[in-house]
Amino acid sequence: MAEEGRNYVFIDEIQLCQEVTNPEAPDDTISFIDTCNSLLKHPEIDLYITGFNSRMLSSDIHTRFRDRGDEIHVTPLTIDEILGKEQDSPESVFNNYLLYGGLPLVASESDPAKKAKYLTSVMNETYLKDIVARNNSASDKGLRNLGRILATTTGSLTNIDTIANTLTSTYKEKFYWSKVNDFIRAFKDSFLIEEAERYDLVGRRNIEAPHKFYFTDNGLMNAFSDFAHFERQQALECAVYNHLRASGYSVEIGVVPIRKMENGKRSMRTYEVDFIATKYLTKYYIQVACSLGGVDKERQEKVSLNAIHDSNAKIVLVGEDIPPMRDEAGILTEPVLTFLRKGCRI
């Protein structure tokens, strides 16, 4: 190392590092974390570490480094990044993106079969194997099926008890709530999924459970369902969620209780806002729909938005090519692709 100035140390794919025996204390081991902490004691060293998956680069790395570093979370490519390199029509590229996602090698491959094969390989050989190793599990029993359940229910309310009962029935072996919850935590630690909490816009409070989960990449979501259960509505929601997160927004699910008089009786119905996206002083209320499909469908999508009485922007994003329009209540309706291409700005 140079005695003066900065010394830069780069360690790539740190999840492959193994613990070794400490030559000065045979009963002790030296880990990757120990090595990095020792390097950080030298003020002349600027240390960079990178990793792809869960074994080391996970949520607990902050506590192990005692807040002595900054994390840069690199997401899969967003649609606007992919469009800048493609010659096909934006609509064609976007439809491809909804199915195969934005992992760089996928985005650079033109053959759909090779895209699907690569994503399946990443799912099996990288994520599932690492989750098994990280959790000291003897096998991935239940993990693969859990991934399929989360993939097919992305954007829907998720009940862990229901999943546990499904896995118990499938394997004829008891899957407890705690075990399924640990599996889900492992998926989150590996950056496969994110959890979106629900927020009561009337009571001004977070709702503890159930929450929704979104895969961090459309392609990995579809790989877990073997590309056999593609739903455009689900894919659109996942793409919008990930684009908002990549753009620096925190995202919650809005809950709006509305009181109505029906047949002379007062009743309460709860409506959802797909996303509450917040960044600094900017807040959007967003609904996502494949198609408005007529006046009744449009009215249905706007019920929850019309019940929110504040000055923040309200948007309905539609998965079809329509001209942007704004109604008398100020609600903007525009194509999903238009919103994503302009960087999530109105």
Side-chain angles (χ1 to χ4, degrees):
M1 296 192 303
E3 295 182 1
E4 297 183 2
R6 304 290 282 173
N7 292 275
Y8 296 92
V9 177
F10 296 88
I11 307 177
D12 189 30
E13 298 294 357
I14 50 86
Q15 75 278 355
L16 300 177
C17 295
Q18 304 293 321
E19 290 188 355
V20 297
T21 301
N22 186 339
E24 298 180 1
D27 294 333
D28 193 14
T29 59
I30 298 174
S31 70
F32 153 75
I33 297 290
D34 298 323
T35 303
C36 289
N37 275 329
S38 68
L39 290 171
L40 289 173
K41 294 177 181 178
H42 299 271
E44 71 276 14
I45 290 180
D46 198 3
L47 174 64
Y48 295 82
I49 58 176
T50 70
F52 177 66
N53 45 30
S54 66
R55 190 177 303 171
M56 284 293 187
L57 193 62
S58 65
S59 58
D60 64 0
I61 205 166
H62 294 294
T63 55
R64 300 290 295 275
F65 277 136
R66 302 180 184 88
D67 297 323
R68 288 189 287 168
D70 296 315
E71 180 185 40
I72 300 173
H73 188 183
V74 182
T75 67
L77 298 172
T78 56
I79 186 62
D80 55 335
E81 292 172 318
I82 294 174
L83 284 171
K85 301 179 180 299
E86 290 283 352
Q87 302 299 318
D88 294 335
S89 71
E91 291 75 17
S92 174
V93 175
F94 185 50
N95 288 332
N96 209 34
Y97 176 79
L98 291 178
L99 183 58
Y100 298 111
L103 293 185
L105 194 58
V106 171
S108 64
E109 176 59 63
S110 58
D111 186 343
K114 291 182 179 179
K115 291 175 185 280
K117 182 178 179 181
Y118 171 73
L119 287 164
T120 301
S121 174
V122 169
M123 173 191 69
N124 288 321
E125 301 301 321
T126 302
Y127 284 104
L128 291 181
K129 282 188 176 180
D130 255 23
I131 290 172
V132 169
R134 181 175 176 77
N135 291 274
N136 299 315
S137 176
S139 73
D140 65 352
K141 178 182 284 189
L143 273 177
R144 179 71 175 81
N145 221 336
L146 172 64
R148 176 187 288 268
I149 292 170
L150 292 175
T152 55
T153 60
T154 293
S156 300
L157 293 178
T158 301
N159 187 305
I160 294 179
D161 284 323
T162 301
I163 295 176
N165 291 336
T166 300
L167 294 176
T168 296
S169 175
T170 301
Y171 292 99
K172 310 304 179 185
E173 172 186 323
K174 185 63 178 175
F175 278 76
Y176 292 98
W177 183 95
S178 58
K179 183 173 184 178
V180 176
N181 192 54
D182 287 343
F183 280 174
I184 290 177
R185 185 182 298 114
F187 272 65
K188 289 163 61 178
D189 283 347
S190 68
F191 306 116
L192 262 175
I193 61 173
E194 286 194 1
E195 184 173 5
E197 295 187 354
R198 292 192 297 159
Y199 182 77
D200 184 340
L201 286 157
V202 175
R204 304 294 178 183
R205 62 185 179 86
N206 284 102
I207 300 173
E208 289 188 5
H211 296 159
K212 294 186 178 185
F213 295 94
Y214 289 91
F215 272 78
T216 54
D217 179 74
N218 277 51
L220 290 171
M221 175 183 71
N222 291 315
F224 268 95
S225 64
D226 296 322
F227 298 94
H229 301 283
F230 177 80
E231 292 188 9
R232 187 171 175 81
Q233 173 68 36
Q234 185 184 63
L236 287 170
E237 282 192 36
C238 195
V240 171
Y241 177 89
N242 287 323
H243 205 100
L244 289 167
R245 295 289 290 125
S247 300
Y249 289 86
S250 63
V251 181
E252 297 171 301
I253 312 302
V255 176
V256 187
I258 301 177
R259 289 184 172 85
K260 290 186 175 183
M261 289 294 294
E262 295 180 343
N263 300 323
K265 296 181 179 180
R266 189 179 298 276
S267 63
M268 173 81 77
R269 289 193 62 182
T270 299
Y271 294 84
E272 277 194 351
V273 178
D274 288 333
F275 302 124
I276 306 171
T278 308
K279 181 168 68 172
Y280 309 125
L281 300 178
T282 302
K283 178 177 286 187
Y284 297 147
Y285 300 115
I286 299 173
Q287 291 287 85
V288 182
C290 277
S291 170
L292 291 184
V295 175
D296 290 342
K297 174 65 174 175
E298 182 176 356
R299 186 183 296 115
Q300 178 186 342
E301 291 292 342
K302 293 182 178 180
V303 167
S304 57
L305 298 180
N306 281 317
I308 302 171
H309 303 295
D310 64 31
S311 59
N312 293 305
K314 302 175 181 70
I315 316 166
V316 177
L317 298 178
V318 184
E320 57 186 357
D321 189 15
I322 62 171
M325 61 190 79
R326 196 181 297 270
D327 67 14
E328 66 277 3
I331 298 175
L332 173 67
T333 300
E334 68 178 2
V336 171
L337 184 55
T338 299
F339 181 74
L340 301 184
R341 292 188 73 183
K342 62 186 182 182
C344 304
R345 295 188 303 273
I346 292 184

